[in-house]
Amino acid sequence: MTYIFISVLIFFFSKVTKKRDSVFLFFCFSVFLFFFAVFRYGQGTDYFTYKFIYNRYAIEFDSFKFYFQGVEPGYSLLNIVFNKLHLSFETFVGVLSGVNLVVLFSVIKKNSSNLLFSLLIFFLNYYVPYLTNQWRQAFAMILALAILCSYINDGKKVSFIAKVVLVGFTFHFSILALLLVPLFDKLFSEKFIFSPIKPFIFCIFCFAFSFGSFLVLPVVFNVLHLQIVSKLISYAKSSGFSVLSVALRLLFGVLIAALSRKAVKESGDVVIKKIYRIYFYGLFLYLVLSQIAIFSRFSDYYTFMEVLLVPNIIYRKNLQKKKSRNVLKIAVLALYFVLFFKDLTDATYQGGYQNHGALHYPYVTIFNKDSIYEYREVPKIW
């Protein structure tokens, strides 16, 4: 219930558009979410797995056995540094969460036309599934947003590539998917992206290619007596394919294009145009990889741009007609809240909570962490 109350509160105050008041409210909610994330305990499917990894590093480092525990080298080093300073896992999570959220707030402050609406999108669509569940990737996504905004403004490819690689080796290798941005810029012209039909014909092609590949390739590899490759493909596909997820992604892309394509194209705003293009690169990539749920997360670094894109489309002056702006706002909020309730419900199942449903996902802090045992199953090893 805590999460729902916060989301409604942010939504209510996002209607405040007077600059001085909105900046003040953004500061207040940013501070609140900062401590909300820093002081959390036990939320997320892999929270205790990461805690085990962190505690294991202390043992391995003391015995001079250094290895990466299946995570990125930079993340491994951070574990070791915090362990060497005799800091708890809760402190480790809190510091990393806090630093990354400060980066996010800074990027929103510089690039959004409605600060609280950007914050609302982040909280509804990314806080629970990423910052609490896949938090290494969440850190990488937040830093990716900052890197992309910098690249959009200065166009320095070498600097962009270096930053992406650094974050990839620190938090999550999946961010390396962003290295395709310069290539996509070459492949997809502005004229193509802002065409009313071509991007969606290409979307259908991407999905058909993905779907067809996983039907044909296993057969081909079996004929060539490469059964092990065929089995790997079948196993990869079994990791999950959601018709609902694909449908919602396409629906959201159609909404954005239908209600803002022309306005963005004619705006003359280079930054908004570039953000719009990167978002659609992500949609193409998602559809190509949609047959493998775990691979589709590569597209998240692109579609995360919606945190800036949607508020700028809706609230930037002279960019949108009032009627289109209201339709888009109602539609995206409806989608976001549906996904938000779904994410909360999924979290109660995936985390082994005793009670399931969006209303039963509790917020536990480091100050009452023993109460986590009242809500979810925690293996004795923890």
Side-chain angles (χ1 to χ4, degrees), residues 15 110 117 120 123 204 233 257 262 270 290 292 341 348:
K15 297 178 181 180
K110 293 176 182 177
F117 202 78
L120 178 65
F123 190 75
I204 295 171
I233 292 174
K262 188 176 180 180
V270 177
S290 61
I292 312 176
F341 276 81
T348 61

Side-chain angles (χ1 to χ4, degrees), residues 69 86 113 177 211 359 366:
Q69 299 275 7
H86 303 292
S113 294
F211 187 78
L359 298 177
I366 58 175

Side-chain angles (χ1 to χ4, degrees), residues 244 248 332-344:
L244 178 61
L248 287 174
V332 298
L333 280 174
L335 282 173
Y336 283 140
F337 271 101
V338 167
L339 290 171
F340 180 57
F341 276 81
K342 177 183 176 296
D343 289 335
L344 287 174

Side-chain angles (χ1 to χ4, degrees), residues 106-137:
S106 176
V107 173
I108 290 175
K109 176 71 168 57
K110 293 176 182 177
N111 298 281
S112 177
S113 294
N114 187 308
L115 306 179
L116 281 180
F117 202 78
S118 286
L119 209 59
L120 178 65
I121 293 172
F122 169 73
F123 190 75
L124 290 178
N125 218 24
Y126 294 97
Y127 185 89
V128 172
Y130 290 94
L131 197 63
T132 63
N133 279 330
Q134 302 171 20
W135 52 281
R136 277 191 304 120
Q137 185 175 357

Side-chain angles (χ1 to χ4, degrees), residues 262-276:
K262 188 176 180 180
V264 172
K265 181 182 178 182
E266 297 174 353
S267 68
D269 191 316
V270 177
V271 174
I272 297 300
K273 283 184 178 181
K274 187 67 175 179
I275 291 174
Y276 182 96

Side-chain angles (χ1 to χ4, degrees), residues 50-61:
Y50 281 117
K51 185 172 183 177
F52 171 72
I53 291 174
Y54 183 83
N55 292 335
R56 180 70 177 272
Y57 271 116
I59 299 171
E60 298 302 333
F61 187 83

Side-chain angles (χ1 to χ4, degrees), residues 44-45 345-356 361 372-378:
T45 307
T345 301
D346 289 347
T348 61
Y349 282 96
Q350 295 167 2
Y353 284 82
Q354 296 176 19
N355 296 311
H356 300 148
Y361 188 61
I372 194 68
Y373 297 97
E374 300 173 14
Y375 301 110
R376 67 178 294 188
E377 297 175 3
V378 179

